[in-house]
Amino acid sequence: MASQHIDYYNLKSFFLDRMNTVNCAAKALKAMHVPKLPIIFTNVWDASSLKAVLSLNEGSNKPVKAVATASSAIAAAAGCKDEELTLEQNVAAIRRLAHLCRQAGVPLSADLQDGYGSRIEEIVTAAVQAGVSGANIEDSISSTAYRKGLAGSLYPLDEQVRRLRSALKAATEAGCPDFVLNARCDIFCIDDPDLNDDARLKEAITRGKAFLELGATTVFYWGGPRRGLTKDHLQTLVKELDGRVAVLLGGYSGGPTVTELAELGVARISIGDDLYPIAMSAIRTAALRVFVEGRLPA
């Protein structure tokens, strides 16, 4: 009986230590979100891409402060489209990456898409239990919904607020009360002729303020140069949301740099899935050289 009690307390201690580690990482990650001094995320999809990124920390300079996943790249590596990636496939990939991030002492933020609808609490719980300290959760009903116009494309604001609150509650109950929610807003992606520029910006501000009020760390405006988000929009959003804004590195036309985005006042910059096609292009180029020249690149 005594040994059983020892085993029980050791097991309990293990899980408490693990939860404390996840929440400590979340606190550290949250502190990295500083307007004008943004945290930069390289988005990975498997162990190889993660190790390649983490190798940048091997010298005295350690530029990689945190890592994030990209669901579309995870899906591509699994041979499917982003909207076809199942919760189970996403969680399996996240678990593998979280283990390696924990070993490296680097916080991990996961792309949880829209939380998989009604399963939002389930996937947040699974992510925290795996060792994830934060997540992107989008307000698009599906990854292709923004092509269908505003009606039915985004979750109604009151419903999305409820969903995000439930996600943070699930994270707290799983042992991570400081979970870093990067609440994604897709209003600039919607192809709707009745939604003019002013209406988009107004909705973006309204949603952003509501997401921050419920406990989000930042609001991630998904757009890009072909999807409606402009530099002027971003300047206004940063002002209205006190800099608690996240954006893609290619967030608007003109190819803004990290320095330029920092000067605008954002708190978070990510690459999205851009590393994946770059990596695949390098593989194709090397393979092609074998067929054309009979040798690998030097």
Side-chain angles (χ1 to χ4, degrees), residues 99-179:
H99 173 70
L100 295 171
C101 284
R102 189 163 55 249
Q103 289 181 330
V106 174
L108 176 66
S109 178
D111 181 350
L112 302 184
Q113 300 189 322
D114 73 335
Y116 293 87
S118 62
R119 301 178 72 183
I120 188 168
E121 294 179 11
E122 178 186 349
I123 193 168
V124 169
T125 298
V128 171
Q129 289 175 343
V132 169
S133 298
N136 291 355
I137 300 179
E138 63 201 50
D139 59 0
S140 283
I141 295 173
S142 75
S143 60
T144 57
Y146 56 74
R147 300 173 187 165
K148 304 173 185 176
L150 180 57
S153 294
L154 305 186
Y155 286 97
L157 181 55
D158 58 346
E159 183 179 356
Q160 184 66 357
V161 166
R162 177 187 59 76
R163 296 175 74 253
L164 294 180
R165 279 205 182 106
S166 71
L168 288 174
K169 182 173 182 288
T172 297
E173 292 176 349
C176 191
D178 292 289
F179 193 75

Side-chain angles (χ1 to χ4, degrees), residues 180-227:
V180 178
L181 174 60
N182 189 36
R184 186 174 126 179
C185 178
D186 285 355
I187 188 66
F188 294 104
C189 300
I190 296 172
D191 184 12
D192 188 339
D194 296 325
L195 194 62
N196 63 35
D197 208 46
D198 289 341
R200 287 180 195 272
L201 187 57
K202 182 179 179 180
E203 184 70 13
I205 293 169
T206 299
R207 285 180 174 253
K209 289 183 175 181
F211 297 162
L212 293 176
E213 184 177 350
L214 66 85
T217 301
T218 44
V219 181
F220 181 21
Y221 290 100
W222 187 266
R226 295 182 303 278
R227 292 183 177 173

Side-chain angles (χ1 to χ4, degrees), residues 72-91:
S72 55
I74 290 174
C80 63
K81 297 178 181 178
D82 192 21
E83 60 267 26
E84 296 170 344
L85 184 70
T86 67
L87 180 151
E88 291 75 18
Q89 287 174 309
N90 201 1
V91 169

Side-chain angles (χ1 to χ4, degrees), residues 53-71:
V53 167
L54 291 178
S55 70
L56 299 175
N57 282 353
E58 290 175 358
S60 57
N61 181 33
K62 301 187 184 301
V64 183
K65 308 301 183 185
V67 176
T69 67
S71 67

